[in-house]
Amino acid sequence: MSLLIRNGRVVTAVDDYHADIFVEDETVSLIGRDLDVEADRTIDAAGRLVIPGGVDPHTHMDMPFGGTTSADDFETGTRAAAFGGTTTIVDFAIQTKGHSTLEGLETWHEKAAGKAGIDYGFHMIVTDMEDDRLWEMRRLADEGVTSYKMFMAYPGVLYVDDGTLFRAMRKAGEDGTLVCMHAENGIVIDEIVKIALAEGKTAPKYHALTRPTRMEAEGVHRSIAIAEVAGVPVYIVHLSCADALEQVTLARDRGAQVFAETCPQYLFLDLSHYDHDDFEGAKYVMTPPLREKWNQEHLWRGLGFGDLQSISTDHCPFCFKDQKVLGIDDFSKIPNGGPGVENRMSLVYNGGVVGGRLSVNKFVELTSTAASKLFGLFPKKGTIAVGSDADIVVFNPDRRETISIDNPHTHHMRVDYNAYEGTEVQGVSEIVISRGRVVVEDNVWHGRAGGGNFLKRGLFGGPF
Ligand code: URP
Ligand code: ZN
Ligand code: ZN
């Protein structure tokens, strides 16, 4: 099967030129002007950007959490991702406390196999790591799971103490892998939560008011310090605020191997979304919470200056009616997380490129290339080059859509609300190609459950 994409404006993290792209089977085989080749199918991309498929390095499909399970599984979640122009996700497998991480990996393979419609990899969430289990980490790396996530938040659930953190970090550094950190002081936060509940403060907004930005900044500072001593590069996930960003910037300025992502929710939504008398604010109960709006300009600056490398979604949807309601009388019981995997590319293009904050190359870097480099997928993923996987998006930079659960062009996620309801965006993914196959065209799904492959990722290849 061959595919010719003609007349497009090819944009990668570094290039911007008009050319034709010839795809044979799953890979790009030729790029040039007015290519003289026969193809099984030709797509005219005149007036369109032709960009690498998005790489979202932070999703939670089919994740048991907060007494329920995230609403998108690998089939519905990856399909929605593809509609939005994302062709690779890196999801989080979980080690059950006291059990082998390899068992956890097996469970997540079972969840994804035969379901994922686009390619996917796994990080491993480590929930304990005694000395006699450390050998498993090298085995995970051999299996292509070359990054871990550990939590300073959620005591009693996913939280690990600093000793565990250090042990696992040291081994991860020896093995050439990367550690992702949920950096928030969960021990202190849980004390603040107890005080709030004792005072009868049970509404969703108290989720945000009990998680001060200083406690995120403290977690970022501490995890970086421990990682420096352990000798491992660290990637701060879902960084939400200026306070935390300052810690990343300071560490990078002194040469520490620190990387960080933020997410659309922290760039486009803010604390005011909790200002509802009813339970509506539960839609935005995620961790870290939405912050005061002024933080957003600091995050954009961090993205522009390179202190934040990537924009992921932390897609972890829970239905408002059936799942968020678990915390109707107590905000601490609201399942944490929100939807977004489908809307990331349009939101970032609109807020970044149309908004005059990012170049079009930076847009590609933040939504695709950087994550693929950090997580051992480059140059297979994250760029358009001869030999790369033909994960390509034909992106209309002029088309506008209003994001809404009622707009069939913007919502395919299996969740009963859209966090960006009513937001108008300019810039829409129109044709989405995954390893040479058109999986989305004219807002119709042409992919298949199981069409996505598990990606064995390489070791950490930095510094970048
Ligand atoms: O609220 C969130 N972020 N839920 C997903 C789990 C996590 O901490 O990333
Ligand atoms: Zn987290
Ligand atoms: Zn997450």
Side-chain angles (χ1 to χ4, degrees):
M1 175 72 188
S2 61
L3 188 64
L4 181 61
I5 306 167
R6 278 217 190 275
N7 307 319
R9 176 178 161 199
V10 181
V11 178
T12 69
V14 288
D15 308 303
D16 188 347
Y17 54 89
H18 283 83
D20 301 340
I21 298 170
F22 186 54
V23 173
E24 283 180 290
D25 298 323
E26 301 193 341
T27 52
V28 174
S29 69
L30 202 59
I31 303 175
R33 284 261 163 90
D34 302 318
L35 289 181
D36 185 14
V37 285
E38 290 288 319
D40 296 324
R41 164 139 198 231
T42 299
I43 292 172
D44 183 10
R48 304 287 186 266
L49 306 184
V50 179
I51 57 175
V55 176
D56 187 341
H58 188 157
T59 65
H60 301 278
M61 308 300 177
D62 198 0
M63 182 203 189
F65 198 45
T68 181
T69 301
S70 61
D72 268 317
D73 63 13
F74 279 86
E75 182 173 351
T76 62
T78 56
R79 191 171 57 211
F83 273 105
T86 289
T87 52
T88 298
I89 60 166
V90 190
D91 203 271
F92 290 84
I94 306 181
Q95 173 199 20
T96 306
K97 245 190 201 21
H99 291 253
S100 161
T101 55
L102 300 169
E103 267 173 54
L105 177 59
E106 201 43 51
T107 304
W108 257 260
H109 273 307
E110 282 162 19
K111 285 174 186 271
K115 287 198 147 193
I118 57 171
D119 291 351
Y120 60 96
F122 294 130
H123 314 275
M124 175 58 63
I125 291 178
V126 169
T127 54
D128 66 32
M129 189 46 70
E130 295 306 326
D131 286 330
D132 61 1
R133 220 184 262 301
L134 281 168
W135 65 270
E136 291 180 7
M137 293 179 68
R138 177 71 239 183
R139 175 79 88 75
L140 287 169
D142 293 341
E143 298 287 328
V145 177
T146 51
S147 47
Y148 310 91
K149 182 177 177 188
M150 286 185 283
F151 289 78
M152 289 172 154
Y154 311 130
V157 188
L158 297 169
Y159 169 88
V160 292
D161 62 24
D162 288 356
T164 305
L165 205 53
F166 178 72
R167 257 191 319 280
M169 280 186 169
R170 207 163 151 254
K171 182 71 169 91
E174 274 171 27
D175 290 344
T177 55
L178 178 64
V179 169
C180 303
M181 285 304 307
H182 181 130
E184 267 189 314
N185 190 323
I187 300 287
V188 172
I189 286 169
D190 269 15
E191 291 300 317
I192 305 173
V193 168
K194 265 197 266 172
I195 296 167
L197 290 174
E199 291 172 352
K201 296 171 175 165
T202 59
K205 71 176 174 192
Y206 293 105
H207 171 74
L209 299 178
T210 54
R211 304 185 93 87
T213 61
R214 289 311 291 157
M215 290 298 96
E216 184 179 346
E218 190 278 332
V220 171
H221 175 82
R222 181 159 40 104
S223 53
I224 293 172
I226 299 171
E228 282 180 275
V229 175
V232 70
V234 66
Y235 177 88
I236 308 296
V237 297
H238 49 45
L239 187 139
S240 72
C241 59
D243 238 2
L245 176 58
E246 183 185 25
Q247 296 303 320
V248 170
T249 307
L250 285 170
R252 286 176 62 82
D253 285 352
R254 66 167 186 272
Q257 285 244 76
V258 180
F259 308 93
E261 65 178 23
T262 189
C263 311
Q265 53 269 37
Y266 305 119
L267 294 168
F268 300 106
L269 307 176
D270 64 72
L271 193 61
S272 67
H273 283 76
Y274 300 110
D275 287 343
H276 290 275
D277 290 335
D278 52 20
F279 191 57
E280 201 67 7
K283 292 178 177 173
Y284 305 98
V285 167
M286 54 189 67
T287 304
L290 302 179
R291 303 301 194 181
E292 288 176 37
K293 195 166 180 59
W294 60 266
N295 286 278
Q296 293 174 356
E297 281 316 310
H298 291 263
L299 298 180
W300 283 112
R301 201 196 55 213
L303 292 165
F305 285 1
D307 285 322
L308 296 171
Q309 285 71 42
S310 172
I311 303 176
S312 72
T313 58
D314 193 10
H315 177 78
C316 189
F318 296 101
C319 290
F320 181 64
K321 288 204 186 79
D322 299 339
Q323 296 183 293
K324 291 286 187 181
V325 78
L326 290 169
I328 189 112
D329 298 321
D330 174 350
F331 69 86
S332 72
K333 296 197 166 57
I334 300 171
N336 286 199
V341 75
E342 182 169 354
N343 305 119
R344 178 182 70 129
M345 304 285 280
S346 288
L347 284 165
V348 176
Y349 186 85
N350 184 68
V353 182
V354 179
R357 297 175 175 113
L358 303 175
S359 71
V360 71
N361 300 106
K362 194 73 180 174
F363 160 69
V364 171
E365 182 183 318
L366 291 168
T367 54
S368 177
T369 318
S372 98
K373 287 185 176 173
L374 284 161
F375 293 106
L377 293 167
F378 190 83
K380 196 175 155 75
K381 307 292 187 190
T383 195
I384 297 177
V386 172
S388 292
D389 280 1
D391 288 3
I392 297 172
V393 175
V394 179
F395 190 86
N396 185 338
D398 302 315
R399 185 167 138 198
R400 292 167 183 272
E401 291 286 348
T402 299
I403 297 177
S404 169
I405 185 152
D406 297 319
N407 180 349
H409 291 275
T410 63
H411 192 105
H412 299 81
M413 299 171 285
R414 192 167 64 185
V415 59
D416 60 358
Y417 71 99
N418 190 300
Y420 304 95
E421 186 68 35
T423 305
E424 196 193 15
V425 285
Q426 179 184 326
V428 174
S429 301
E430 287 186 331
I431 301 179
V432 181
I433 299 162
S434 165
R435 271 183 295 102
R437 288 168 298 122
V438 172
V439 292
V440 173
E441 187 171 16
D442 296 330
N443 201 33
V444 175
W445 175 241
H446 297 283
R448 67 177 174 86
N453 284 349
F454 171 67
L455 296 165
K456 274 191 157 191
R457 295 181 294 114
L459 296 176
F460 177 72
F464 300 108

